[in-house]
Every structure is written in C-alpha cells, then in structure tokens.
Amino acid sequence: FSTLGYHRSRAQLGIQLPPLIWNTVTCDASERLRGESLQFLGADPVAIVEMLLEGRNLSDSTLGHISRLGQLASRDKIPMVADFVRGLAEQGEKVLVFTNYRATVEARYEALGKHCVTVATYGGGHVSDGGDVVKKFRAMDGRVLISTFGVLGVGVNLQEIGHVVHHDLSWEPSVHVQATARAWRRGRTDTVCAYLAFAQHSLDELLARALVRKYSMISTLDVAFDIADYGGLHALRDSISKQDVQSWVDAILRGAQ
C-alpha cells in the first residue's frame, strides 16, 4: 500500500502474465550485526523499537532510526546475496537486483562488476537516467542489473530478465509488487522468479511480519476499489505486538552473547 491502487483486476482487463514464483534467500545475522543493532538501540531496545513502529519520535527522527537498522541489515546480507546472484549469472541467467541504499548498490557492483551495470540515486534529489542504463545493459548483454527501488522500480520494461532479487524489504507491499513487475509483465512467456533476501534476527523480521499482515489484508479485498478506500489501512504498519518485538530482541540478545 502506498499511493498506488488497482482500479481493475487483470482478469477484468484480459491481461495474461507469465507464471511467477516467490522464494526467500536467507542468512542468519552475523555477530557484528547483532552487536551493532543492540549498541544502536541502547539500554532499552524493546521500548525503542516500539516507539519506532508507532511513529513516536526519539532523540533523532524515527525514519532515521529505522533507516540505520535497515542499512546494518542490508550490509550484512551483501556476501550471501552476491553469492546467490553470481551463481545465477554464471548459469547464464539475467538478474535484476533491487535495494534501498546506494551504498549497497555500490558494494554489490564491486562484488559482481564483471556481470553488471549499476544505477543508483544520488544526493540533491538527482536520479541517474534509468533508461540509459537499461540501454547500456542490453547493449553489453549484461547478466546482472542493480538498482535502488526508486530508480528502476517503476516505469521500465525488462521482460528479458527472469530473476528479480529484493535485497532489502520495504514497509510497503506495493514497492515489491511494482519492482517485480519490471520483469513479470506481458511479452514474457517463461516463468519469473522473485526472491526476498532475509537476514534472521535483524530488522528484516519485523518488516516481514508487517508485510505479511498487509498482504493478508489485501487478499481479503476486492482489487477493483478506489484509492480512497486505502485510508484506514495504513495503520497496519504498526500492527506488530509488544510480544513480537520482545521475542525479536531476545533472539538478538541470545545471538550476541
């Protein structure tokens, strides 16, 4: 859910899409990630995480805290996702990788440079030209195309790519739906595989729980509804219980001991 809505379903429009398979690529959080997360959260991590999820301000902005925890998890997953993507590329597959962070794009490019072209967001609101990068990717017959969600997550057609890897999780289901739809679209007949990279005992666990609850709610709705109907559903982002948070923090504590 974001500011995006479906007004008519694919069935109503008569659209035929290729098969889509969702998978996860999972690793356990490293000792470094667990330690840094605890150090960042401070003496009362449960209370702090609850405030983050409820949107209550801390000493800095809530978004800044969430972003920092997300950056720590994103960095931790780089070796795992790089190995996975390299394996696909070496089998001749084309892979589209999305992340939330420019630093992750650059680190991924260094790990997979011989297979890649890269596109990222830059400071000052400037965004690199996704169209030019796609042209370059096709001209060099690249195997792996790496992007932040904001650059290539909407508005481009990449039907030739069969694998979409979501390196980072978002609060909003629509981010992942739209990003996957760059490859999963009309004009392709082969199956598209989408992967969520998941670091256990990191912020990913809380994001995943939020996403599952949102998808569950979406599945109960008629997809042909007006954008005004989205109003009260944004509260789902805060529907993680104190018990969820406590169990998550306890798992990090056990791993850091």
Side-chain angles (χ1 to χ4, degrees):
F1 279 47
S2 184
T3 53
L4 300 171
Y6 296 106
H7 292 273
R8 288 184 289 173
S9 67
R10 292 194 303 274
Q12 290 171 323
L13 292 171
I15 295 174
Q16 297 294 319
L17 294 176
L20 175 65
I21 299 174
W22 282 92
N23 298 284
T24 57
V25 185
T26 305
C27 67
D28 201 11
S30 67
E31 291 185 10
R32 177 185 179 186
L33 173 58
R34 294 174 195 239
E36 288 182 348
S37 296
L38 287 175
Q39 183 178 10
F40 178 71
L41 291 172
D44 192 356
V46 174
I48 292 176
V49 173
E50 283 185 303
M51 283 191 285
L52 293 176
L53 298 175
E54 293 169 5
R56 289 185 277 149
N57 287 333
L58 303 172
S59 56
D60 298 314
S61 70
T62 297
L63 182 60
H65 279 73
I66 290 287
S67 180
R68 178 56 180 158
L69 288 172
Q71 288 169 356
L72 292 174
S74 184
R75 182 198 63 197
D76 212 55
K77 291 182 284 187
I78 288 171
M80 173 193 70
V81 178
D83 287 344
F84 178 73
V85 171
R86 186 182 297 108
L88 290 173
E90 289 175 351
Q91 294 175 46
E93 300 291 338
K94 291 181 181 290
V95 189
L96 177 58
V97 183
F98 284 106
T99 174
N100 286 329
Y101 308 105
R102 178 185 175 187
T104 302
V105 173
E106 294 171 345
R108 174 81 58 240
Y109 179 71
E110 290 180 8
L112 295 165
K114 69 177 181 179
H115 299 296
C116 300
V117 287
T118 183
V119 55
T121 56
Y122 294 91
H126 173 70
V127 177
S128 52
D129 190 333
D132 285 347
V133 171
V134 170
K135 291 177 183 177
K136 180 180 177 182
F137 176 74
R138 288 171 171 158
M140 68 181 290
D141 193 27
R143 291 295 172 187
V144 182
L145 180 56
I146 308 169
S147 175
T148 54
F149 286 103
V151 177
L152 293 183
V154 295
V156 296
N157 298 329
L158 293 161
Q159 298 97 324
E160 69 268 32
I161 295 178
H163 301 268
V164 183
V165 178
H166 302 254
H167 181 99
D168 299 310
L169 302 184
S170 171
W171 288 107
E172 308 293 352
S174 62
V175 170
H176 297 293
V177 171
Q178 288 290 327
T180 302
R182 299 313 95 215
W184 183 54
R185 48 196 312 112
R186 285 180 294 177
R188 182 179 177 86
T189 57
D190 295 340
T191 299
V192 173
C193 294
Y195 309 87
L196 294 174
F198 185 84
Q200 294 178 320
H201 307 131
S202 76
L203 182 68
D204 285 354
E205 288 199 0
L206 298 181
L207 291 174
R209 287 171 179 164
L211 282 171
V212 166
R213 287 179 170 130
K214 290 181 182 183
Y215 276 122
S216 178
M217 175 64 78
I218 293 169
S219 69
T220 68
L221 301 174
D222 182 348
V223 296
F225 59 87
D226 189 84
I227 194 168
D229 293 332
Y230 283 56
L233 297 176
H234 285 288
L236 286 171
R237 74 170 62 228
D238 303 325
S239 64
I240 298 171
S241 70
K242 184 173 182 177
Q243 184 177 1
D244 289 336
V245 175
Q246 184 67 64
S247 64
W248 176 71
V249 172
D250 287 346
I252 294 177
L253 285 168
R254 288 194 300 272
Q257 290 172 350

